[in-house]
Amino acid sequence: MQSWVLWLIVAAVLGSAELLTATFDLLLLAIAALAAAGTAALGLGIGFQVLAFAITAAAMVTLVRPVARRHLTGHPKLRTGVAALIGREAVVLAACDRDAGRVRIGGEEWSARSYDPDLQIPAGTRVDVFAIEGATALVHPQEEPWPN
């Protein structure tokens, strides 16, 4: 049996094992085995075939694997629902204190409380949304209020 056929068998076995494990690592080694099969098909000796396998495997593991892992395990950057409101700017419609208040976030009116329980935020103040508790926004002024 010719050596390029053996390398193709190794690549097929590694590819099949990748389907079972889904680790992505065995796929990279299968590609390295294909490179070795190509080297064997060119008629180069076993030393060159092993060298082609080793160089391709090292390149795939050090260069391709980190990029692929980052893309496969990356978390979506899009925040939705109430999580998307945190950090947004709002305008106080009715004074906010530790118990009650109203703010406009985007185009929606929300019940609100001051994030700092000792702080009273007057109507018209621009605030940042620090958190959402239930249907109530916890807000804090963008600029520190002057002491009375």
Side-chain angles (χ1 to χ4, degrees):
M1 187 179 307
Q2 295 186 7
S3 59
W4 65 271
V5 174
L6 291 175
W7 283 111
L8 285 179
I9 292 171
V10 169
V13 168
L14 288 169
S16 299
E18 173 63 34
L19 291 174
L20 297 174
T21 62
T23 61
F24 192 67
D25 298 328
L26 296 176
L27 177 63
L28 299 177
L29 294 177
I31 293 170
L34 289 175
T39 304
L42 292 174
L44 298 174
I46 189 72
F48 285 110
Q49 296 168 30
V50 172
L51 185 65
F53 178 81
I55 290 173
T56 305
M60 297 296 265
V61 169
T62 58
L63 301 175
V64 175
R65 183 177 183 239
V67 174
R69 290 250 184 220
R70 197 172 355 183
H71 286 290
L72 291 174
T73 60
H75 301 290
K77 306 276 189 261
L78 179 64
R79 293 186 306 167
T80 59
V82 294
L85 298 176
I86 297 172
R88 300 249 334 246
E89 181 180 279
V91 177
V92 177
L93 300 175
C96 293
D97 57 17
R98 71 172 50 196
D99 298 317
R102 302 291 294 170
V103 295
R104 181 173 308 280
I105 306 171
E108 299 176 339
E109 193 172 316
W110 280 73
S111 61
R113 287 194 327 254
S114 173
Y115 186 78
D116 180 357
D118 299 328
L119 186 64
Q120 170 116 12
I121 306 170
T125 305
R126 294 205 176 273
V127 293
D128 289 321
V129 178
F130 276 19
I132 302 288
E133 288 183 356
T136 303
L138 301 180
V139 297
H140 193 271
Q142 291 180 344
E143 296 179 9
E144 286 297 320
W146 296 97
N148 294 335

